[in-house]
Amino acid sequence: MNRIASFTVDHNKLAPGLYYSRRDGDVVTFDLRFKKPNTGDLLTNAEMHSAEHLIATLLRNSGDKEAVIYFGPMGCQTGFYFLFDNRLLSCEGAITLLQEVFTAAASFSGEMPGKSPAECGNYINLDLETGKAVCRFYAELIAGWTVEKLAY
């Protein structure tokens, strides 16, 4: 059985950042890593969930929303996957979009998107300030990111 590409990356050495994971036809997957190497520091459920609601909402309301296929958490809680249509958005454009939405999320005002029992099956652990803090960390981390830095 073939190993999937992300299992070939040494997670003990992988620094937080934004990485090009794979391309499947016109769909490109970016790997957004938050975990610090060798520390075991994972995002908590509340951190992941809160950041996910903010970023997914902002991506799907952006000028590039037609290119957005998916944004969601990794099961291992080390980050998120962002899938986009490369016919509609270049890798450079995707980096810029992520920089913009994480910066916007870090200063988001208003109600936490999707924080109700009707909108989310686990709305209880959503917290706006927690989500903003995670997004602020990542916005600062990827502020100067370039296509050349996308390699694992």
Side-chain angles (χ1 to χ4, degrees):
M1 188 176 291
N2 295 328
R3 287 175 68 201
I4 63 171
S6 66
F7 290 174
T8 66
V9 176
D10 186 343
H11 288 66
N12 291 313
K13 297 177 183 173
L14 182 61
L18 177 59
Y19 301 99
Y20 182 100
S21 177
R22 61 185 290 155
R23 182 183 183 122
D24 299 286
D26 294 320
V27 178
V28 172
T29 301
F30 276 4
D31 181 343
L32 290 71
R33 294 292 175 143
F34 288 67
K35 180 186 175 227
K36 296 178 182 160
N38 296 319
T39 66
D41 292 341
L42 302 177
L43 294 172
T44 67
N45 288 333
E47 288 172 328
M48 284 210 83
H49 195 196
S50 299
E52 175 200 6
H53 272 240
L54 288 169
I55 299 303
T57 298
L58 292 171
L59 284 170
R60 295 194 188 289
N61 283 282
S62 74
D64 291 306
K65 66 184 174 188
E66 296 303 319
V68 175
I69 295 171
Y70 173 77
F71 178 84
M74 296 175 180
C76 61
Q77 295 177 271
T78 59
F80 299 89
Y81 290 117
F82 173 50
L83 283 70
F84 61 94
D85 186 332
N86 197 227
R87 294 171 302 169
L88 302 174
L89 186 64
S90 67
C91 288
E92 295 87 351
I95 293 169
T96 300
L97 176 59
L98 289 170
Q99 290 167 332
E100 290 170 355
V101 297
F102 272 94
T103 298
S107 61
F108 187 84
S109 62
E111 296 292 317
M112 168 61 85
K115 188 177 179 175
S116 77
E119 297 169 300
C120 179
N122 192 18
Y123 71 96
I124 251 10
N125 77 348
L126 290 171
D127 180 75
L128 182 61
E129 293 307 314
T130 297
K132 287 169 57 171
V134 170
C135 292
R136 186 170 20 266
F137 160 78
Y138 203 70
E140 291 170 5
L141 180 73
I142 65 168
W145 219 262
T146 63
V147 170
E148 294 75 29
K149 294 174 105 179
L150 287 174
Y152 284 115

